[in-house]
């Protein structure tokens, strides 16, 4: 286990370095001049002022030199300064990251739990009306765009029923504290987490159904059933433990995708996470901030993949780490 962790952490460091270089080159290959954007924000756009801005932010240097300076800073955990907000990029990301993690983890937990439950229910009732209903419902969730699902949920639960708030992370001007503040955040979390989770729920439900049906036809399951083991125990101890391996693999890959999917959801619900921060940075050509967000999300994706490999041992100890 220690050798496996050491190898994976070394790979993570090397991959992070490669991502820093690739992200930097891709961002600088995009059209647009950050100096022109900054000059436009300040109301001055003459050539002299543009030259001063390029010199101030190092944009007048060769690309290779800019890359070396940036990689050297990242190695010391210095992500630079946002030219739009005039604040360190690391501080901006750390302020927004908890909101994004709260949204993503909640949506992920809901999608995995509900998806596995629906998939197992459909598999145990294969060919029945319940199986067709769950399958059809999953396809509807999968085919509906995230922004459309979010708007429909807002119209139903916020506008029509007035049960849940429609935007933000907390009630503006309420100044709640303690448990009431936590409940207020939870109320604002329901709709964005539901919107983000429904799409991935459909994927896990379909995958769980097919995997359970495949494992249920194996000889060891038939042997357990012939010995008189109850169907509930067979499903929990024999079928699901083997059927969940492909689900965990896909969940580990898509856990990082939730960070990317949260950009659209955060925009629809005005959720103050790094998704909306990245969107604003893109519009303003804030390269330093955009690179910092890319680096943060990339590291989160790699950590989720490492966690997925470790979960294999919990689900099935026969899995050997390679």
């Amino acid at each position: 286990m220690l050798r496996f962790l050491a190898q994976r952490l070394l790979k993570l460091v090397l991959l992070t370095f490669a991502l820093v270089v690739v992200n930097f080159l891709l961002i600088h290959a995009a059209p647009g001049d950050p100096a022109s954007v900054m000059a436009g924000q300040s109301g001055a756009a003459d050539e002299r002022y543009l030259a001063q801005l390029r010199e101030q932010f190092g944009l007048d240097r060769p690309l290779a030199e800019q890359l070396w300076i940036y990689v050297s800073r990242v190695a010391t955990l210095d992500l630079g300064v946002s030219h739009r907000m005039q604040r360190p990029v690391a501080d901006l990301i750390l302020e927004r990251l908890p909101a994004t993690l709260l949204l993503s983890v909640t949506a992920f937990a809901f999608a995995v739990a509900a998806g596995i439950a629906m998939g197992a229910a459909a598999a145990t009732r294969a060919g029945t009306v319940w199986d067709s209903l769950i399958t059809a419902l999953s396809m509807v969730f999968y085919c509906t765009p995230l922004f459309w699902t979010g708007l429909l949920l807002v119209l139903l639960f916020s506008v029509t029923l007035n049960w849940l708030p429609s935007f933000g992370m907390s009630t503006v001007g309420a100044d709640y504290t303690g448990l009431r503040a936590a409940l207020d955040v939870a109320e604002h979390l329901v709709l964005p987490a539901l919107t983000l989770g429904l799409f991935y729920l459909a994927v896990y439900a379909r995958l769980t159904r097919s995997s359970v049906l495949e494992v249920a036809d194996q000889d060891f399951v038939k042997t357990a059933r012939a010995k008189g083991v109850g169907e509930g125990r067979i499903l929990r101890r024999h079928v699901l433990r083997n059927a969940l391996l492909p689900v965990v693999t896909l969940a580990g890959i898509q856990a990082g995708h939730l960070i990317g999917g949260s950009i659209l959801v955060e925009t629809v619900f005005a959720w103050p996470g790094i998704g909306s921060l990245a969107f604003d940075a893109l519009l303003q050509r804030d390269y330093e901030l955009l690179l910092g967000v890319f680096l943060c999300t990339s590291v989160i994706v790699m950590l989720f993949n490492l966690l997925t490999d470790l979960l294999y041992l919990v689900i099935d100890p026969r899995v050997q780490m390679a």
Side-chain angles (χ1 to χ4, degrees), residues 264-318:
L264 185 58
V265 175
E266 288 177 7
T267 303
V268 172
F269 291 96
W271 188 264
I274 61 174
S276 56
L277 186 67
F279 182 74
D280 294 338
L282 179 62
L283 293 180
Q284 301 294 332
R285 298 293 193 275
D286 195 340
Y287 284 175
E288 297 287 343
L289 181 55
L290 201 56
L291 285 171
V293 172
F294 284 170
L295 176 61
C296 178
T297 54
S298 299
V299 171
I300 291 175
V301 171
M302 289 186 286
L303 290 176
F304 272 122
N305 289 334
L306 176 60
L307 181 61
T308 301
D309 290 339
L310 296 177
L311 283 177
Y312 285 155
L313 289 179
V314 178
I315 297 174
D316 192 347
R318 295 172 300 175

Side-chain angles (χ1 to χ4, degrees), residues 48-94:
R48 183 178 180 182
Y49 184 67
L50 288 175
Q52 291 177 352
L53 287 176
R54 293 191 181 98
E55 182 180 359
Q56 178 183 353
F57 291 96
L59 299 175
D60 59 337
R61 300 177 182 179
L63 183 62
E65 185 178 351
Q66 293 184 47
L67 175 60
W68 170 254
I69 294 173
Y70 179 71
V71 172
S72 302
R73 288 207 321 262
V74 172
T76 61
L77 301 181
D78 179 11
L79 301 182
V81 178
S82 168
H83 72 75
R84 184 171 63 92
M85 299 184 181
Q86 294 298 311
R87 293 183 57 194
V89 170
D91 292 347
L92 292 171
I93 292 177
L94 289 177

Side-chain angles (χ1 to χ4, degrees), residues 141 148-166 191 194-195 198 269:
F141 291 152
W148 187 247
T149 301
L151 293 176
L152 290 178
L153 291 177
V154 169
L155 287 175
L156 176 60
F157 292 102
S158 296
V159 178
T160 304
L161 299 176
N162 197 26
W163 288 355
L164 296 169
S166 58
L191 290 184
L194 192 61
T195 300
L198 284 177
F269 291 96

Side-chain angles (χ1 to χ4, degrees), residues 185-196:
V185 173
E187 290 176 355
H188 286 79
L189 178 64
V190 172
L191 290 184
L194 192 61
T195 300
L196 188 58

Side-chain angles (χ1 to χ4, degrees), residues 116-146:
I116 291 175
M118 291 176 61
T124 55
R125 297 169 177 81
T128 65
V129 176
W130 285 106
D131 181 24
S132 301
L133 181 61
I134 292 175
T135 302
L137 195 61
S138 299
M139 291 305 299
V140 169
F141 291 152
Y142 184 76
C143 296
T144 307
L146 285 176

